[in-house]
C-alpha cells in the first residue's frame, strides 16, 4: 500500500485523532466520511476503509484530515508502483486499482451532470469510461521544475517544493532518459533555467524547451554540450531555449500530419486521443455536404479531420500562433475546404458568415464563456458535440444549453485521458429538439 507520512511536531501534539469510515470518493480523489456529523475529506483513504485521521483544516461545513493509520482496507487498494507517489502532485489515484478509478470517474461525471447540470437521468445517459489497455507511459508532455540544487521534478501537491524522481511511470523511457541526461549536464549551473518542458511524438522524437529568465554564455555552452549527447542529437530531439527558437516537430493522426510549435496545445495522451477523435468523428455522422464549425480548435487537428468528411469546416481559436500552425497544417495536408479565424470565440461567432449544421466545441477547463454560449444558442446548429476536461464546467454549460428546452443531451461518453489522476475527459452529444426551427434569443 501507499505510505502516508505522519506529521510529528510540537504543534501536532495537542490535536485529537479521530476514527472515520469512508463512504465515497470526492471528485478530487479524496475519501469522504463524517466525524461528529461534519463532512471530512481524507486524501488516500478509499470507500469502505476505516482508519484514524487527524484534522488539518477545519471550515464551517467541512474539514480536511490526514491519515494516521488504516484499520480496515478496501479490496480496491493496491500498492502504488511509483516510489515518490505519496509526495508527488502528479498522480493521486495510484493507490486504487485501475478498474476502480474508471468506476469512480464515471460516477463523478454523473454527479456533476445531476447536481450542477440538472440532468436527472444522467445515470442512464453516461456510458462506462473508455479506459486504457496499458495505463502507463502515456504522457507525451511533462513540465518539470528545478530546485536550488538544479534537480528536476514535479511540484509537490499545493506546494512549490520540487519532488525529484528516478523514473516517472507516466513518461516514456526515452523521456526519462532525456531528463536524467539534462540534469547531469546542467548540474547546479544555469540557475536562470527554472522550468523545462519535455515533449515527445508518436515516432519517439523529443522536443525539450528550457525556459530561461535570461541567456548567458554558460547556458549556451551547456546547450552545445547537450547536443553532443545521444538523447539530444538532431535526429532524436529538438532542443530549444525559451522563445528564442521556434522549431516544430510533427505528429500524425490517420492520414494527416500536424506541425506542433513549442507552446502549442496538444492532448497529452496520444493513445486515448485517437479514441477521442474517432468517437467525435463517429458521432458527427457527416454526409459530405454540411458546414461544420470547430470552436477552440487549437492547431486544427479536429478541424482538418472534420473537413475531410464534410463540405466546409471553420475553426475558431484565440491563440495567434495556434492559428498560424492550423493554417500551415491545412496547407501541408492539402485540405482546401477549411478556414481558420483568430479571436475569442465569444467575439467571433456572431461575426462569422454561414449557418453550420454541426458545432464541435472543446474549450479549456474553465468551460465556455457565457457570451459564447449565448451566441451558440442564437446560431442554433442542429447538433452540438461538446468535449470537456472538467465535469463541473461541462455541467454548468450544458444546463445553459438545455434549460430553455432548445437542446437535449443524447449521449455522454467519458474517456480516460489522464490515468491515475482524478481528471476525466467527457464527450457529450446534443441535438436541437426542433431542428427545422431557428432559435431567437
Amino acid at each position: 500500500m501507499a505510505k502516508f507520512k505522519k506529521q510529528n511536531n510540537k504543534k501536532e501534539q495537542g490535536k485529537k485523532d479521530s476514527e472515520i469510515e469512508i463512504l465515497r470518493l470526492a471528485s478530487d480523489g479524496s475519501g469522504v466520511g463524517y466525524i461528529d456529523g461534519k463532512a471530512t475529506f481524507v486524501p488516500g483513504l478509499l470507500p469502505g476503509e476505516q482508519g484514524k485521521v487527524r484534522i488539518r483544516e477545519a471550515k464551517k461545513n467541512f474539514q480536511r484530515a490526514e491519515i494516521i493509520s488504516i484499520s480496515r482496507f478496501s479490496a480496491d487498494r493496491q500498492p502504488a508502483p511509483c516510489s515518490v507517489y505519496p509526495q508527488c502532485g502528479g498522480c493521486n489515484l495510484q493507490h486504487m486499482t485501475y478498474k476502480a478509478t474508471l468506476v469512480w470517474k464515471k460516477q463523478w461525471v454523473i454527479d456533476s451532470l445531476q447536481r450542477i447540470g440538472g440532468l436527472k437521468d444522467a445515470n442512464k445517459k453516461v456510458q462506462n469510461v473508455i479506459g486504457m489497455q496499458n495505463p502507463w507511459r502515456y504522457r507525451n508532455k511533462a513540465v518539470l521544475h528545478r530546485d536550488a540544487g538544479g534537480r528536476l521534478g514535479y511540484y509537490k501537491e499545493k506546494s512549490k517544493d520540487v519532488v525529484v524522481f528516478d523514473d516517472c511511470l507516466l513518461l516514456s523511457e526515452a523521456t526519462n532518459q532525456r531528463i536524467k541526461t539534462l540534469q547531469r549536464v546542467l548540474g547546479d549551473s544555469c540557475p536562470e533555467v527554472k522550468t523545462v518542458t519535455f515533449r515527445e511524438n508518436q515516432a519517439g522524437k523529443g522536443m525539450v524547451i528550457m525556459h530561461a529568465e535570461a541567456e548567458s554564455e554558460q547556458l549556451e555552452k551547456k546547450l552545445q554540450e547537450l547536443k553532443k549527447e545521444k538523447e539530444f542529437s538532431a535526429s532524436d530531439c529538438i532542443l530549444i531555449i525559451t522563445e528564442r527558437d521556434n522549431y516544430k516537430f510533427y505528429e500524425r493522426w490517420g492520414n494527416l500530419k500536424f506541425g506542433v510549435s513549442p507552446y502549442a496545445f496538444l492532448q497529452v495522451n496520444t493513445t486515448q486521443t485517437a479514441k477521442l477523435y474517432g468517437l467525435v468523428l463517429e458521432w458527427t455522422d457527416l454526409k459530405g455536404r454540411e458546414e461544420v464549425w470547430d470552436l477552440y480548435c487549437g492547431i486544427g487537428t479536429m478541424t482538418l479531420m472534420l473537413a475531410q468528411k464534410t463540405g466546409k469546416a471553420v475553426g475558431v481559436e484565440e491563440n495567434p500562433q495556434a492559428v498560424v500552425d492550423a493554417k500551415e497544417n491545412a496547407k501541408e495536408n492539402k485540405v482546401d475546404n477549411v478556414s481558420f479565424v483568430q479571436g475569442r470565440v465569444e467575439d467571433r461567432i456572431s461575426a462569422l458568415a454561414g449557418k453550420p449544421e454541426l458545432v464541435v466545441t472543446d474549450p479549456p477547463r474553465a468551460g465556455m464563456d457565457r457570451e459564447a454560449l449565448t451566441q451558440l444558442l442564437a446560431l442554433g446548429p442542429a447538433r452540438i458535440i461538446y468535449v470537456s476536461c472538467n465535469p463541473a464546467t461541462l455541467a454548468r454549460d450544458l444546463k445553459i444549453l438545455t434549460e430553455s428546452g432548445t437542446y437535449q443531451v443524447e449521449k455522454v461518453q467519458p474517456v480516460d485521458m489522464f490515468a491515475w489522476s482524478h481528471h476525466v475527459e467527457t464527450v457529450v452529444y446534443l441535438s436541437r429538439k426542433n431542428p427545422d426551427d431557428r432559435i431567437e434569443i
Side-chain angles (χ1 to χ4, degrees):
M1 60 168 282
K3 296 179 181 178
F4 295 90
K5 203 171 181 181
K6 179 180 175 181
Q7 300 292 329
N8 249 328
N9 55 50
K10 291 182 179 180
K11 290 183 179 180
E12 302 299 322
Q13 290 176 3
K15 292 193 174 182
K16 180 183 176 182
D17 298 340
S18 302
E19 296 289 335
I20 193 171
E21 179 178 2
I22 299 302
L23 304 178
R24 64 182 187 277
L25 282 188
S27 59
D28 67 351
S30 298
V32 183
Y34 292 86
I35 297 175
D36 297 330
K38 181 180 282 192
T40 305
F41 296 82
V42 190
L45 276 185
L46 300 178
E49 293 189 329
Q50 294 179 349
K52 186 179 291 185
V53 301
R54 181 170 298 161
I55 305 304
R56 301 292 295 168
E57 180 186 11
K59 300 289 186 180
K60 182 179 179 181
N61 298 318
F62 69 93
Q63 55 195 2
R64 301 188 188 279
E66 65 174 356
I67 298 173
I68 300 301
S69 61
I70 304 176
S71 56
R72 187 174 76 187
F73 294 88
S74 166
D76 291 330
R77 179 173 288 277
Q78 68 172 13
C82 174
S83 61
V84 297
Y85 173 64
Q87 295 82 38
C88 182
C91 299
N92 61 349
L93 296 179
Q94 280 194 25
H95 61 293
M96 295 182 71
T97 63
Y98 183 60
K99 183 178 179 180
T101 69
L102 300 182
V103 171
W104 278 102
K105 288 184 180 190
K106 176 182 178 180
Q107 189 59 50
W108 293 334
V109 174
I110 292 172
D111 290 346
S112 289
L113 295 185
Q114 288 180 334
R115 181 172 53 86
I116 303 172
L119 189 64
K120 295 179 181 179
D121 61 346
N123 59 322
K124 297 178 181 178
K125 296 285 179 65
V126 179
Q127 302 301 304
N128 291 335
V129 180
I130 297 175
M132 300 187 69
Q133 186 174 358
N134 178 17
W136 302 104
R137 309 288 186 194
Y138 67 84
R139 285 193 68 96
N140 58 38
K141 179 182 178 182
V143 180
L144 302 183
H145 310 278
R146 298 180 77 204
D147 65 11
R151 299 180 304 170
L152 286 163
Y154 296 107
Y155 278 147
K156 185 177 180 180
E157 188 175 6
K158 298 179 181 179
S159 168
K160 290 297 180 71
D161 295 337
V162 175
V163 178
V164 179
F165 55 86
D166 182 61
D167 178 19
C168 176
L169 300 177
L170 302 191
L171 304 177
S172 71
E173 293 178 355
T175 295
N176 274 289
Q177 189 56 52
R178 290 186 187 107
I179 293 168
K180 291 176 182 177
T181 300
L182 187 141
Q183 190 167 267
R184 171 174 56 80
V185 172
L186 287 189
D188 61 358
S189 69
C190 306
E192 65 270 26
V193 178
K194 305 293 186 185
T195 305
V196 183
T197 297
F198 295 82
R199 306 187 76 159
E200 186 178 38
N201 65 13
Q202 294 180 73
K205 183 155 188 174
M207 176 186 284
V208 176
I209 307 140
M210 294 192 288
H211 306 272
E213 295 178 345
E215 293 188 38
S216 64
E217 290 184 9
Q218 185 182 41
L219 178 57
E220 185 61 37
K221 180 181 177 182
K222 292 295 183 182
L223 184 68
Q224 298 309 315
E225 287 183 32
L226 278 168
K227 289 181 178 180
K228 295 177 182 178
E229 299 285 340
K230 179 181 181 301
E231 296 81 11
F232 290 92
S233 66
S235 60
D236 288 345
C237 184
I238 300 170
L239 187 58
I240 297 170
I241 297 179
T242 315
E243 298 177 359
R244 187 186 73 178
D245 307 306
N246 192 30
Y247 297 106
K248 290 183 181 181
F249 74 168
Y250 291 86
E251 190 59 279
R252 283 188 175 275
W253 274 285
N255 63 344
L256 295 170
K257 178 181 178 182
F258 298 93
V260 184
S261 293
Y263 300 101
F265 170 80
L266 206 62
Q267 294 282 3
V268 299
N269 188 329
T270 306
T271 300
Q272 293 297 89
T273 297
K275 297 178 184 178
L276 177 73
Y277 287 166
L279 177 68
V280 172
L281 290 173
E282 178 187 337
W283 283 8
T284 61
D285 191 29
L286 296 169
K287 307 303 181 186
R289 302 176 302 276
E290 304 90 342
E291 180 172 342
V292 180
W293 291 6
D294 182 18
L295 310 182
Y296 311 93
C297 69
I299 63 172
T301 46
M302 179 54 66
T303 324
L304 296 190
M305 293 179 188
L306 292 167
Q308 289 187 319
K309 297 172 68 70
T310 192
K312 178 182 179 183
V314 178
V316 183
E317 169 60 43
E318 181 176 359
N319 186 306
Q321 183 56 51
V323 173
V324 170
D325 288 349
K327 291 179 178 179
E328 291 179 358
N329 287 330
K331 184 177 180 181
E332 171 79 20
N333 289 283
K334 298 181 172 57
V335 179
D336 56 11
N337 64 331
V338 64
S339 60
F340 293 96
V341 179
Q342 190 272 319
R344 298 193 309 167
V345 168
E346 54 267 33
D347 295 335
R348 293 300 187 186
I349 293 182
S350 60
L352 288 174
K355 293 291 183 180
E357 180 178 328
L358 168 71
V359 168
V360 176
T361 180
D362 186 1
R365 285 189 61 79
M368 295 184 69
D369 183 88
R370 181 59 189 257
E371 179 60 26
L373 289 165
T374 300
Q375 295 292 342
L376 182 56
L377 282 167
L379 186 67
R383 297 173 290 149
I384 299 171
I385 296 177
Y386 193 131
V387 182
S388 169
C389 60
N390 185 340
T393 56
L394 168 66
R396 178 202 67 197
D397 293 352
L398 291 181
K399 184 175 184 179
I400 294 171
L401 291 171
T402 60
E403 62 185 352
S404 66
T406 303
Y407 286 96
Q408 57 191 0
V409 173
E410 300 276 2
K411 297 181 281 189
V412 182
Q413 179 61 69
V415 181
D416 190 26
M417 302 287 287
F418 317 99
W420 309 114
S421 81
H422 64 277
H423 299 294
V424 59
E425 198 91 357
T426 309
V427 187
V428 180
Y429 181 95
L430 301 99
S431 64
R432 205 170 70 228
K433 289 187 175 180
N434 299 301
D436 295 328
D437 297 337
R438 283 289 162 184
I439 301 163
E440 294 184 4
I441 302 296

